[in-house]
Amino acid sequence: MSQTPDTPTSRETKTVQAMHAPDTQTGAVIPPIHPSTTYLRGAENELVGPTDYRRPEGPTEMQAAEVLAMLDGGADARLFPSGMAAIAAALESVPTGGHVIAQTEMYYGARLLFQRAQRLNRITLNLVPPGDLDALTAACRPDTDLIWIETPANPSWAIVDIAKAADIAHAVGARLAVDSTCAPPCTTQPIQLGADLVMHSATKYLNGHSDVLAGALVTAKADENWDTIATLHSQTGGVPGPFDTWLLLRGLRTLFVRFERQSASALFLAKALKDHPKLSAVHYPGLESHPGHAIAAKQMTGGFGGTLSIQLKDGYDAARKLAASTKLFFQATSLGGVESLIEHRKPIEGADSPCPSDLVRLSVGLETPEDLLADLLQALDRAN
């Protein structure tokens, strides 16, 4: 599908132009939406185009997947109707009784999915603290099939050294999967650091406009494990709709500039808030005081992201009041959109979550950063 010119072009240029693939029939510069579910065959039953049916992949999905595979430096990519659907497909590729290692601190929905599979005796599971490579090594077994890491880890923003985690996984013959939702490929390419599989909740930074629910898996190799995932993807019909896919493709075209601005604004806020008298902690990997800063600087080369978390000295009630007192930040779930969001995270994740009860998560959008700071300061004044 790609019509990329022979001249050398950067990943950003290819992304902005959606792989330089205008519509050849009409000359339209913007890629068209292909809602058709079925596609023609010729007189000899040969396919006229690249597909016969949209359940595995239609033309719109193929183009978006091609852009994502290019961005992550992978051999192939598949789109799913949500990030959780992508995680479920990766988990389903683990053989029955297989051993999985994941993190104590990670997106809570993924942790609950892994724990459910353990309760059903589908897998055996060990959880280790993010970034604790000694604990990760100790948890590995000869039958370990999948190691699942998330970096930065949501919502603590703990950092995991991807390259070292890959070495640990491969030493026991396991696959390393990285949830890179909060470090999209404009800043981190886990496959280039040794990962076998990358998952994105495309709802977040990849789309960037809070109007698409989608997920993606990108593989380093088109191997037997990937064939299993691709078969599951097709047989379960785990594909997003064509309009959602087109919106994702549209959002991807501005990923680099959005992420750069959001990272700069988040760093501005983190620096401005780190010594605030009502806060006990500011968690952001762009701060030099962050325990994972050196590793983050090595593997997040395009910015440290637009998400940070703060903790209130006065505890749960102060966190609840802060989240309800902003005037520009919207109190809502999600991250990575152009509008800034604030959320008291513990009530969302539930009593069993390791998330601190005084933690508030901020997703920084594209508003003027000084306006966002003024909004947070007035809300902090009211959060007694």
Side-chain angles (χ1 to χ4, degrees):
M1 298 178 67
S2 171
Q3 301 174 36
T4 306
D6 293 334
T7 54
T9 50
S10 67
R11 290 187 307 131
E12 183 172 2
T13 294
K14 291 175 181 176
T15 303
V16 168
Q17 295 194 354
M19 302 297 284
H20 197 84
D23 183 48
T24 55
Q25 289 188 325
T26 66
V29 171
I30 302 301
I33 303 173
H34 293 278
S36 180
T37 56
T38 190
Y39 294 84
L40 280 175
R41 294 180 179 271
E44 302 299 323
N45 204 35
E46 77 282 5
L47 289 174
V48 173
T51 187
D52 65 338
Y53 197 64
R54 198 173 62 79
R55 174 159 45 80
E57 289 181 295
T60 305
E61 292 76 35
M62 286 180 177
Q63 186 169 7
E66 184 181 8
V67 175
L68 278 175
M70 177 276 299
L71 272 170
D72 263 313
D76 196 11
R78 290 294 178 103
L79 301 180
F80 294 81
S82 68
M84 285 300 297
I87 296 169
L91 180 58
E92 187 65 20
S93 72
V94 176
T96 299
H99 181 231
V100 176
I101 303 172
Q103 295 177 184
T104 53
E105 298 173 25
M106 57 188 289
Y107 174 58
Y108 81 110
R111 186 181 66 252
L112 292 175
L113 187 67
F114 289 143
Q115 290 171 330
R116 177 181 182 273
Q118 181 186 36
R119 288 195 306 272
L120 295 174
N121 295 318
R122 259 280 294 126
I123 62 169
T124 56
L125 177 68
N126 283 98
L127 298 179
V128 300
D132 189 336
L133 298 179
D134 290 336
L136 179 60
T137 301
C140 286
R141 306 184 330 205
D143 65 339
T144 301
D145 183 83
L146 182 70
I147 295 176
W148 185 276
I149 66 173
E150 179 183 354
T151 183
N154 181 9
S156 70
W157 314 121
I159 299 296
V160 183
D161 190 317
I162 297 171
K164 290 183 178 179
D167 288 342
I168 293 169
H170 297 157
V172 295
R175 295 175 289 157
L176 179 71
V178 180
D179 180 342
S180 202
T181 294
C182 295
C186 57
T187 194
T188 300
Q189 290 181 287
I191 288 172
Q192 307 309 307
L193 297 171
D196 302 287
L197 192 66
V198 181
M199 195 287 297
H200 298 285
S201 173
T203 307
K204 312 303 192 296
Y205 285 109
L206 298 186
N207 167 254
H209 292 79
S210 303
D211 56 8
V212 165
L213 191 67
L217 291 175
V218 185
T219 185
K221 299 177 182 178
D223 56 11
E224 183 178 353
N225 287 313
W226 182 248
D227 288 343
T228 298
I229 290 173
T231 299
L232 287 166
H233 177 258
S234 175
Q235 291 181 346
T236 61
V239 294
F243 184 59
D244 280 350
T245 304
W246 185 86
L247 287 174
L248 170 59
L249 190 59
R250 181 207 61 180
L252 276 169
R253 292 160 71 106
T254 60
L255 172 62
F256 281 80
V257 292
R258 285 187 287 103
F259 192 81
E260 180 181 8
R261 170 63 180 268
Q262 288 167 300
S263 294
S265 295
L267 181 59
F268 169 80
L269 291 179
K271 288 181 175 179
L273 294 172
K274 66 183 179 65
D275 295 320
H276 193 282
K278 290 192 175 183
L279 300 181
S280 60
V282 174
H283 304 285
Y284 184 68
L287 291 175
E288 292 184 3
S289 58
H290 188 283
H293 175 73
I295 297 170
K298 181 175 63 176
Q299 61 190 31
M300 298 181 76
T301 58
F304 297 100
T307 44
L308 64 149
S309 294
I310 58 179
Q311 289 183 254
L312 281 292
K313 288 182 178 178
D314 289 336
Y316 183 97
D317 286 338
R320 176 189 56 79
K321 190 168 184 179
L322 172 64
S325 298
T326 54
K327 300 180 184 300
L328 290 180
F329 279 82
F330 293 96
Q331 185 175 199
T333 294
S334 201
L335 55 90
V338 297
E339 64 291 308
S340 292
L341 305 179
I342 188 169
E343 184 175 59
H344 183 200
R345 194 67 193 161
K346 183 67 173 183
I348 304 301
E349 297 198 10
D352 294 336
S353 168
C355 179
S357 62
D358 58 358
L359 184 142
V360 173
R361 189 181 73 182
L362 305 174
S363 173
V364 181
L366 298 182
E367 302 92 344
T368 302
E370 290 80 5
D371 292 344
L372 295 175
L373 177 60
D375 187 33
L376 290 170
L377 292 177
Q378 69 81 24
L380 281 165
D381 285 341
R382 300 169 63 186
N384 296 320

